[in-house]
Amino acid sequence: MLHSFCSRTNCSDGAIPRASLIFDQAGNLYSTTEEGGAQYEGTVFKLAPNANGNWRESVLHSFCSRTNCGDGAAPDFASLIFD
């Protein structure tokens, strides 16, 4: 297990990661969560390896739950792609 996501309501680190992971050239992992984040509508996250073998999670984006948000919400199984 690289990271244990929070299971409580309104966790800022995301919850329910269902999508596949992608790697960058530095060995970082990226994906989405269905729930959690600042608005509890899902996140885009990064897992970065540390020198000691542990991994550090960072939230790159929290999806919005308000009306007229242009970024969507609850990405479920939405995988990321690199451009």
Side-chain angles (χ1 to χ4, degrees):
M1 182 180 310
L2 303 179
H3 179 73
S4 181
F5 288 91
C6 179
S7 61
R8 296 181 312 268
T9 302
N10 297 324
C11 291
S12 62
D13 76 335
I16 311 176
R18 294 185 184 185
S20 60
L21 297 163
I22 57 174
F23 278 97
D24 66 12
Q25 291 180 338
N28 299 307
L29 293 164
Y30 300 84
S31 191
T32 60
T33 63
E34 181 180 347
E35 295 178 359
Q39 305 279 334
Y40 204 66
E41 289 296 331
T43 66
V44 175
F45 68 89
K46 170 184 169 182
L47 292 172
N50 291 325
N52 65 3
N54 293 327
W55 291 74
R56 180 177 33 89
E57 190 251 6
S58 303
V59 173
L60 304 177
H61 180 73
S62 288
F63 290 96
C64 179
S65 62
R66 295 183 308 268
T67 303
N68 298 324
C69 287
D71 67 352
D76 292 339
F77 294 95
S79 296
L80 301 173
I81 58 170
F82 276 117
D83 183 6

